[in-house]
Structure formats: structure tokens, C-alpha cells
Amino acid sequence: MAENPDAPDGRDAMLAERRAMVETIVREVGWSKIGDGSPELDPRVLEALVRVPRERFVSSDLRAEAYDNRPLPIGHDQTISQPLIVAVMTHLLHLEPDARVLEVGTGSGYQCAILAELAALVLTIEVVAELAADARARLEALGYRNIEFHLGDGAAGWPAAAPYDAILVAAAGRSVPPALLEQLKPGGRLVIPIGTDAFSQDLVLVEKDRDGRTHRRALFPVAFVPLRSAPPAGP
Ligand code: SAH
């Protein structure tokens, strides 16, 4: 669980802002619906959003905006996802406390922290080395011990630790990478933005049934950066 070293006296200066952010999310979900038929978000997801200090995942000049319900730049042309989308994608995975989760696109590490609050183990893969290193340092400083960090092309998943109860892809693909479908457990759930448009894709939920058959549903439009292929190996 996150400990906030900015508040050594136990006082958390940003708690009120975090609660306000969660109230905004609850209101927006009430208007827009989640797309999977749930009337509201899992309260465990909302509690995780109240615990994780989002201001620690953005640069110091953006801290005042950390609790606005919108994406923010994190460098390398990438963004930390909008809190509403983080909440809904996490909700859609139906995580149990013993879940093993694969995340593609560590970015700032914020979504990863939310997953780590709710699951037993999170394996996260990032293709940009600097982002991966920063996220790792940040999440370790916050006290997370149930995250494994990997550098590479997340479209290939991480077969060594498969299968996963849940897979979250935080960058848009043209289709669902077959390796990820293979690495999903029967009964597992995968969320991924799918589309070719740089500004609008569909958030797709894939459920694998007990017999290993997959069922897909496009839920609502989202805007994610595209999945990149891995850079060529160095000399
Ligand atoms: N979940 C992140 C935001 C992710 S933005 C957060 O909460 O901050 C998308 C991230 O996916 C970026 O960091 C980008 O570098 C990464 N990415 C893009 N293509 C990838 C790939 N093929 N494998 C792994 N990571 C990838």
C-alpha cells in the first residue's frame, strides 16, 4: 500500500483533492455508464483511487493539476491517463485480491499503482527505458513490493509468468495482440483500446470463458497513444 513520504506527520495534504476527484469520477460514471452493464464502479477501485497519491506521478510543475479529471503529459510524448479512464479500466477487470495482472504501458506508473493496490501481483511492461526507470523508482519509493518491472514490447506479453487473471493495455492497438489472448487465463478479462485513429479508439473488453473461447465487446470511445513496436536492440 502507498505510504506518502510528503506527509511524515501522517497528514496528507492532497487527501481532500483526491476525494473530490473520486466524487467527480462517480458523477461522470453515473451520467455516462460504464458500458458493461454495471450500475456503478466497484467501491474497492474507488478506495484505491483515494489511497494513491497521483501528484507523485507527475512532474512538480503539474502537481496542482494532478487531481483534474484529465490526462497530463509525462514526457516522451506520453501521458498519464485520465483518472476516470483509469477507474473504469480497472473496474472492468474484476480483480480479486489473489489476481495476477499484466499491464502493458507502465508510463508514469499511476495505473500500475492502482492495480497493485487491488491485486496480488502486477507485471508491467514499458517500451521507453527512461519512463520504465522513473516509474520503478517512484513505485518502489511509495512502498509497492508486488510489482515486477519489464522493459520491452508489451504486445508480446510476458509468457514466463503467464497465464494472467487480467490484462490491461494502456496504448492503442489495431487489433488485440494474439500473444496477450494466449496469456489470458480461462475466466480472465482483458481491456485494450482498439482502433487506427490517433484520437479515437474503442475501449474493448475481452472475456475468456472457462472453455477458452474469447468474447469481445466494444464499450465506448477513448483516446490513447498507439502501441509502439520495440526499438531495435542496441549494439
Ligand atoms: N498507464 C500509464 C499511461 C500509459 S501511456 C499511466 O498511468 O501513466 C502509454 C504507455 O505505453 C507509454 O508510456 C508508452 O511508452 C507505452 N507503450 C507504448 N507502446 C508500448 C509497447 N509496445 N510495449 C510497452 N509499452 C508501450
Side-chain angles (χ1 to χ4, degrees):
M1 183 173 300
E3 287 162 31
N4 191 343
D6 285 348
D9 58 354
R11 201 175 51 85
D12 181 347
M14 298 295 223
L15 182 60
E17 274 156 273
R18 221 143 47 234
R19 290 210 167 111
M21 175 188 82
V22 169
E23 278 167 25
T24 304
I25 290 172
V26 168
R27 258 198 321 276
E28 295 213 0
V29 165
W31 290 329
S32 57
K33 305 293 177 232
I34 304 162
D36 74 336
S38 311
E40 54 195 29
L41 292 173
D42 182 341
R44 289 177 300 178
V45 174
L46 301 178
E47 284 156 20
L49 289 160
V50 171
R51 285 196 296 268
V52 176
R54 185 168 159 96
E55 74 278 7
R56 300 281 303 276
F57 294 82
V58 297
S59 55
S60 48
D61 55 318
L62 288 173
R63 284 199 175 173
E65 291 157 66
Y67 292 101
D68 294 354
N69 185 24
R70 62 186 177 90
L72 293 169
I74 56 172
H76 302 273
D77 293 328
Q78 305 301 321
T79 54
I80 177 172
S81 310
Q82 181 188 9
L84 172 68
I85 298 298
V86 171
V88 172
M89 287 176 82
T90 309
H91 167 93
L92 290 168
L93 296 178
H94 292 185
L95 298 177
E96 294 296 335
D98 62 353
R100 293 156 53 83
V101 185
L102 178 70
E103 182 195 36
V104 175
T106 316
S108 69
Y110 176 70
Q111 169 76 73
C112 187
I114 300 288
L115 296 171
E117 290 279 338
L118 297 167
L121 178 70
V122 184
L123 276 93
T124 185
I125 311 177
E126 171 57 55
V127 75
V128 177
E130 293 87 343
L131 288 174
D134 288 355
R136 179 180 199 141
R138 194 176 276 141
L139 289 162
E140 287 182 353
L142 284 168
Y144 291 99
R145 298 286 177 266
N146 59 339
I147 304 172
E148 274 185 30
F149 300 87
H150 297 290
L151 187 61
D153 181 359
W158 199 261
Y164 303 98
D165 298 287
I167 300 180
L168 186 154
V169 184
R174 287 167 176 268
S175 57
V176 186
L180 299 183
L181 287 177
E182 268 164 40
Q183 292 169 35
L184 188 64
K185 244 184 219 172
R189 297 163 74 91
L190 178 156
V191 282
I192 181 171
I194 294 289
T196 48
D197 189 318
F199 301 102
S200 176
Q201 309 98 27
D202 284 324
L203 187 68
V204 170
L205 170 66
V206 181
E207 293 173 83
K208 194 184 250 192
D209 67 22
R210 301 277 162 199
D211 301 324
R213 279 187 302 255
T214 54
H215 307 270
R216 298 170 195 218
R217 270 187 286 166
L219 300 180
F220 52 85
V222 286
F224 276 83
V225 297
L227 265 173
R228 301 188 191 174
S229 24

